[in-house]
Amino acid sequence: MKNIALTLASLWLALAHAPQAMAQASCSSDGTPRPVAVFERFISADCESCWGDAAAPAPSAKAGAVVLDWIVPGKAGDDAPLSAAASTDALPRLQTLGRKPPISTDVYVTQVGLAARGRLRVAHGVAFNDYVGTGIAFTPSPAAPQRTATATPLAFYLLLVEAIPAGTDGTVVPRYIVRNQFEGAWPLAQRPARSKGKPWAWMETRSMRIPDGAQADRLHLVGWVQDASGSIVAAAQSVCR
C-alpha cells in the first residue's frame, strides 16, 4: 500500500515538471473558469427521498459555483439507505461550518473572494489499483499580503468528487458526491524554493483512495484555499479533456 502511494506521488512530481505529459496523462483545472462560490449540499444517509428529490437545491447555471454533495452518516448507521456513499469527512465539515447533521438536506454556500489573492491549480492522474495521484498548488498574486513571522497559515482542502449524471443511480438531478478528502495548511511565514524564472508556489501531492462503489471515470477534484477567518481566497476544479 505504501509503495503504491509513493509510486503515484513520484508520477505526479514527474508530470508536474512536464506540461505536455501532464496534458496527455491527467486531468487538471488548467484553462477552466475560476469558481466564484462553493455550493455544498449535506444529505442525511437516512433520507432516501432526499437523494431522488427533483427539487433539490442547486445554483443557477450562471452562478459559477462548484457543487458538492456530502452524504452525512445517519442515525441508522450501516442500515441507512444511503450509507454506502456516506462520508465520515462530512461530520467535521459540518462542525467547521457551525452546522448540525441534517435530518433531510441542508445547504451551505461560501463565496470565493473576488480580490486576486492568487491562483489555485488542482490535477490528478489515472486510477491505479483503487488509488489516484492528486496534486494541489497555490501561487499567490504579487499583490497579495506579504508574509510575516506571525502570519496565520493558509488552510487548503482537496476533495475527490464523483459526478453522478441526472437519470442514473436513482437521482433525477446531477450529483457530485464527495468520496475522499485531504486537508492541510501552508505557513505564510515561509516560502518554498522556486525554480529560476518561475513564480514560487506551495504544492502538495497525495495519492487518494477511491472508495468501494465509486466509478473512477466519473471522478474529478475540487480544491480551495481559505484564510484564518474561513474566507475562501481561491478555488478550482479539474476537468478531463
Side-chain angles (χ1 to χ4, degrees):
M1 197 74 70
K2 183 177 180 180
N3 288 337
I4 292 175
L6 290 174
T7 299
L8 288 171
S10 297
L11 285 173
W12 162 259
L13 288 173
L15 290 171
H17 295 286
Q20 293 181 344
M22 176 65 77
Q24 297 172 2
S26 71
C27 307
S28 76
S29 58
D30 294 344
T32 62
R34 298 185 183 186
V36 299
V38 178
F39 191 100
E40 299 176 81
R41 297 183 291 215
F42 295 89
I43 306 168
S44 171
D46 293 327
C47 187
E48 186 173 12
S49 62
C50 296
W51 175 257
D53 185 6
S60 68
K62 297 181 180 180
V66 293
V67 181
L68 300 172
D69 285 299
W70 297 88
I71 308 300
V72 184
K75 293 182 179 180
D78 292 341
D79 294 327
L82 305 179
S83 63
S87 170
T88 55
D89 291 324
L91 295 174
R93 179 59 183 162
L94 281 167
Q95 186 175 21
T96 297
L97 297 175
R99 318 284 279 198
K100 295 181 179 180
I103 297 175
S104 54
T105 299
D106 187 21
V107 174
Y108 194 92
V109 182
T110 308
Q111 300 297 321
V112 178
L114 297 178
R117 300 281 293 275
R119 180 174 59 86
L120 186 67
R121 182 180 191 269
V122 297
H124 66 90
V126 296
F128 179 73
N129 281 4
D130 297 327
Y131 281 82
V132 60
T134 70
I136 181 170
F138 180 64
T139 304
S141 166
Q146 298 297 310
R147 72 185 191 273
T148 66
T150 59
T152 303
L154 287 174
F156 68 84
Y157 294 82
L158 185 62
L159 280 58
L160 188 64
V161 180
E162 181 179 8
I164 310 295
T168 61
D169 297 351
T171 178
V172 295
V173 298
R175 294 288 186 179
Y176 305 91
I177 305 177
V178 178
R179 289 296 196 176
N180 208 337
Q181 176 184 285
F182 169 55
E183 61 182 272
W186 288 312
L188 283 177
Q190 301 175 8
R191 287 185 178 178
R194 64 177 179 178
S195 301
K196 185 177 181 180
K198 295 183 179 180
W200 60 271
W202 285 291
M203 183 177 73
E204 292 284 342
T205 60
R206 175 64 59 102
S207 62
M208 300 181 76
R209 184 179 180 277
I210 302 172
D212 296 338
Q215 296 188 29
D217 60 349
R218 292 176 171 178
L219 297 174
H220 66 280
L221 292 176
V222 171
W224 69 81
V225 176
Q226 64 185 49
D227 60 22
S229 69
S231 299
I232 297 179
V233 301
Q237 68 176 334
S238 66
V239 173
C240 297
R241 296 181 174 87

